[in-house]
Every structure is written in structure tokens, then in C-alpha cells.
Amino acid sequence: MSMDKKALEHSKSVLKDMYFAGIHAVSPITLVSNKVKFKDGMLYVKDESFETKQNVYLVGFGKAVMGTSVVKYCEGAVNNHPDDRSLETTHEIIDLVESLTENDTLIVLISGGGSALLYMPRPSIDRDDKLLLCKALQAAGADIKELNIVRSKLSMVKGGGLARMAYPASIITLILSDIVGDPVELIASGPTVYSNKRPREVIAILKKYNLFERVEGDTKKLLTATERFKDKHLLTRRKKQFKHVTNIILGNNAVAIEAASLEAYRNKLTPIILRSDVVGDVHDVSLAYVHICSLICLAMDKTLEKEEFFEKVKDIPILSLSAAKVDEIYNEIDNVSEEGLVLIGGGEPTVVVKGNGKGGRNQELALHFSLDWLAKIKSYYQFANYEVIMLSAGTDGQDGPTDAAVIVREEEKKEAIRKKKEEEEEQR
């Protein structure tokens, strides 16, 4: 059956409402208003409390910093790559934090994009060499965790560098996580989290993407260097510099997904949260989503019984759903609302850049999904009876806004069905 234009527009509107509900839930104003309070010299963050010192200072970096306070804003890092403005602002931040004493409290705001905005290469390397290496890693398909491990090794402020500069001030870091699993040492490359910056991980990452042999000179020397302390007391002092640091995750992907799920309920849909930590090659992610959609369609028309559904779903690559989650999905299928079912997944797929095309990972996922779902229809034309709509969007910035669009048209679906029927007739 075909969804008429009015129904299609309504469905698209509901999906957008779900997306914006997720965005609102992790917006800085919402998070700070709901989770941060200040009263009588005490700062309350979630379920923790802090007595502020004589002087309180605030610095922040990342795409979500604007809108949290009435402070000075400095822009930079066009297209999420460090630039002269990033460098200049980082100099100002360093000048501030290096002047702090034990009588001061430093509040640090961190969010996605912070690695590009807080930017200070080690003086022994050329800044262009660092930028070229990071761009090469991204183009080769390195994920954000791998990229930030390498960045930390090359930076004065990342990998705990900012916290060391601010010692002995008390530091309270409020973090809006943009990385799957919320690893505080990697969000914005962990400027307030202790790191020993061992080279083993860095070398393994560069070799994985065939970049190690391409790195030369001072950059390679720094990447392979081990930080050694002739004086054990110096190492102990380094670690002590982090005893006055508290890092707190204020918001993450799971918060956004839960808000999207509640908005789906509000619109009388039946939402199923698959998981919030989906990672992998963007095409593999698409195939996983297409596969589970097809199995749900088969279960809805009773072509697939519970036992077979269970076995097929729990082994889908990328998703790797638990038995409890698969059971939940099947039970929801039996009780799906008249408005329909919506699957919600979050994470950060990776893209290997080939050529000079336009777009970003969300556009690429939407494109793959459209083509992969059309292939499913060609293999089993009964899937054309189900209207499947996908929204792929991100919470942390632009995704290559272009004039590109991905639409699987009704005519293409009909043509796929016609060809499939012809093939079946020939086989008979």
C-alpha cells in the first residue's frame, strides 16, 4: 500500500519533532538549568556539591559553549579544523589558567569540537604537520577516539595539559559528551584528565591506517617518545595535580535518544531504542538497520515466528542486541500502535573519504539506507507493502549541508516489484 502525500508529510514532521526533542534535551541551556545550581557559595552539579574558592573563573571550548553564560565568545576552527583564531584564543586561556592559585576555582565547559578550538601544538613540531596528519587520519576512516588519542600526544593542552597549567586551582569540568561511551579522557581530547601519553597506542593507530611510515621528522620523534621522569617525585607531583579536578558528564547521546523516544510516545508511535553506541563503517551500519527493518516487517505479517525472529535479530552485525532487547522488540511488534513503529539508534559511524564529493556521514547513511532498502524490495517485493522512512541527523554541528537529497520514489519501488515478478514468471 502507498502512503499518500499528506500522511507522508505528517510522518516526516513527527520524525523532525523527535529529532528536535533530542536536540533540546542536550542543549546547554536545558542541561545547565536542570542540573547546575549555585547557592550560598556552593555549586551543585547533579548529585555533587562543591564549595567555591575566593575567586571563580570560567573557560570553555566546543560547539555547545555559546548560550551557557554571558561571557566573551571567540570563534574559530572553520570546518572543525584548528586555525589562527583557535590558536589565539588558546593563548588567552593559557595566560588565564597559569595565573591561578589555590584560592581560585576554575569552571571548564567542554563539548564536541573542543579539540579543534583548544589548540596548542607542542613547540617541537610544525603546526601544519599536525593538521595534515589529523586530516589524513579522518580521511582514512579513523574514529574520534583514535583521532583524539593522536591529538593528545601532539598537544600542550590536551591529555590533561590544561589542568596541569591551572594547578593548584580547584577545577570543575562540565562535559557535554559527543563520543560513544563517554570516555572523559577523549572528549575534546581530555584537557582536564590525567594522561601518561604513552606512544604504544598512537603507533598502533597510525599503522592501522598505513600512516606511520608517512610521518617524519620532529612529528614522528614526538609521537614515539615516552615521557620519562628521572625524579619519581616529579611523577608523583604530576598525578597530584589532578586530585583537585572533578570531571562531570552533564549530557550525552543517551539523554537525546530518551527525549526522542518520549516525543514518539507523545505522537502515539511505538518507539524502540535499539542502542546509543552504534559504531562502524557507515555502510555496515546501514545494512544493519535495513536488516532489522526487514525482519520486523516479516514478523509483523507473521511470516517470521518468534523463535526464528529471535535467532536472526540477535546476531545482526553492528547492533549485537541482547536477548532481552530482542524479546522487547518482538513484544512491541505484537502491540504496535496504529500510528506505527519507530526504531531509534544513536552512535557515530565512520566514513572513508573517497574523491571530492559533498556531504557528511548522515547524508551518506541516508543514501546507503535508501539504496539498501530498495535492494531488499527487489529481493522480496512484499517489503514494498511497508512504508519505511529514515531520518539520519546529528546533534553536534553541520553535516555538509548541500543541495543533495535522497529519495526513493514510488515509481522506483513499482519498477523493482515489476522486474521481480517478471523474473519469477520466467523461472516458472
Side-chain angles (χ1 to χ4, degrees):
M1 58 183 176
S2 176
M3 182 182 290
D4 62 39
K5 186 175 180 180
K6 186 176 180 180
L8 177 62
E9 290 303 317
H10 173 71
S11 297
K12 288 163 64 178
S13 177
V14 170
L15 289 176
K16 286 195 289 185
D17 287 345
M18 290 173 57
Y19 168 68
F20 285 116
I23 292 291
H24 176 73
V26 292
S27 70
I29 292 177
T30 301
L31 290 171
V32 172
S33 297
N34 292 340
K35 300 184 179 184
V36 181
K37 307 294 180 187
F38 182 79
K39 184 178 180 180
D40 299 329
M42 296 292 294
L43 182 67
Y44 300 90
V45 184
K46 297 172 69 172
D47 56 353
E48 298 188 57
S49 59
F50 307 90
E51 183 177 1
T52 56
K53 298 296 181 69
Q54 181 177 340
N55 305 302
V56 179
Y57 297 87
L58 175 73
V59 297
F61 29 88
K63 299 172 186 175
V65 167
M66 292 184 69
T68 52
S69 306
V70 182
V71 293
K72 174 185 176 183
Y73 296 116
C74 301
E75 296 186 3
V78 176
N79 296 324
N80 205 31
H81 292 295
D83 55 24
D84 289 338
R85 292 187 297 175
S86 302
L87 193 65
E88 183 180 343
T89 303
T90 304
H91 272 297
E92 291 186 34
I93 290 175
I94 290 174
D95 289 342
L96 169 64
V97 302
E98 285 186 335
S99 69
L100 302 181
T101 71
E102 65 272 8
N103 296 320
D104 300 319
T105 295
L106 177 67
I107 299 175
V108 182
L109 309 177
I110 295 179
S111 56
S115 289
L117 288 162
L118 189 74
Y119 169 64
M120 185 60 62
R122 289 182 175 270
S124 61
I125 62 171
D126 184 272
R127 53 185 286 197
D128 289 336
D129 289 344
K130 179 186 176 183
L131 286 175
L132 288 172
L133 176 58
C134 292
K135 286 180 180 180
L137 274 168
Q138 287 176 302
D143 63 30
I144 190 62
K145 294 181 180 180
E146 294 169 324
L147 182 61
N148 284 358
I149 287 172
V150 175
R151 280 170 163 168
S152 295
K153 186 70 174 172
L154 299 173
S155 173
M156 291 181 63
V157 287
K158 298 174 173 65
L162 187 71
R164 285 194 289 268
M165 293 175 181
Y167 182 83
S170 295
I171 301 174
I172 304 165
T173 305
L174 308 182
I175 303 169
L176 177 51
S177 173
D178 69 326
I179 299 183
V180 170
D182 304 334
V184 291
E185 74 278 9
L186 296 179
I187 301 168
S189 304
T192 59
V193 183
Y194 175 76
S195 170
N196 53 24
K197 298 188 177 182
R198 290 177 181 169
R200 187 182 306 168
E201 282 184 292
V202 174
I203 294 171
I205 292 166
L206 294 177
K207 287 184 175 180
K208 175 181 176 181
Y209 296 102
N210 300 314
L211 293 172
F212 185 70
E213 298 303 325
R214 290 169 52 184
V215 182
E216 299 177 343
D218 291 334
T219 303
K220 191 166 192 173
K221 189 174 181 180
L222 177 58
L223 288 170
T224 57
T226 300
E227 195 170 14
R228 301 183 184 278
F229 296 93
K230 295 180 181 179
D231 185 349
K232 290 185 178 180
H233 295 294
L234 181 58
L235 175 59
T236 303
R237 182 172 175 270
R238 275 284 180 91
K239 292 182 178 180
K240 281 184 178 180
Q241 290 174 343
F242 290 84
K243 287 190 174 181
H244 296 291
V245 180
T246 304
N247 294 288
I248 303 172
I249 301 286
L250 274 192
N252 55 17
N253 204 25
V255 173
I257 285 175
E258 185 60 36
S261 177
L262 292 174
E263 182 65 17
Y265 273 121
R266 195 182 71 78
N267 283 278
K268 300 179 182 178
L269 283 164
T270 301
I272 296 175
I273 296 176
L274 296 176
R275 57 191 308 151
S276 63
D277 57 354
V278 178
V279 295
D281 178 80
V282 69
H283 194 192
D284 293 335
V285 172
S286 168
L287 291 171
Y289 285 151
V290 165
H291 193 177
I292 194 168
C293 285
S294 66
L295 294 176
I296 287 174
C297 290
L298 294 175
M300 290 178 76
D301 67 13
K302 304 303 179 184
T303 303
L304 204 61
E305 296 298 329
K306 183 173 183 178
E307 292 75 17
E308 190 177 1
F309 176 84
F310 189 93
E311 289 302 317
K312 289 180 178 293
V313 172
K314 72 181 182 68
D315 293 328
I316 295 177
I318 298 291
L319 293 179
S320 301
L321 301 175
S322 66
K325 177 58 69 173
V326 177
D327 197 52
E328 175 195 334
I329 293 172
Y330 195 87
N331 291 337
E332 293 288 8
I333 292 172
D334 277 342
N335 300 286
V336 66
S337 70
E338 290 185 9
E339 295 295 321
L341 183 74
V342 57
L343 304 178
I344 305 174
E348 189 167 33
T350 51
V351 174
V352 177
V353 178
K354 298 176 181 177
N356 299 308
K358 297 180 180 180
R361 74 188 78 206
N362 286 297
Q363 287 190 7
E364 185 155 344
L365 178 55
L367 174 61
H368 277 304
F369 185 90
S370 298
L371 297 175
D372 293 336
W373 183 250
L374 187 59
K376 276 288 183 185
I377 293 174
K378 290 179 179 179
S379 67
Y380 183 67
Y381 63 84
Q382 294 298 331
F383 286 136
N385 293 329
Y386 292 89
E387 292 296 342
V388 178
I389 304 173
M390 182 192 197
L391 170 67
S392 182
T395 60
D396 68 339
Q398 295 178 330
D399 189 67
T402 71
D403 55 359
V406 180
I407 302 172
V408 177
R409 301 186 184 279
E410 191 67 26
E411 291 78 10
E412 294 176 87
K413 291 168 63 176
K414 289 178 180 177
E415 180 64 14
I417 294 169
R418 185 186 65 77
K419 287 183 177 180
K420 182 63 178 178
K421 286 182 177 179
E422 287 179 354
E423 290 173 4
E424 291 176 351
E425 288 294 332
E426 290 177 2
Q427 289 175 0
R428 292 194 187 106

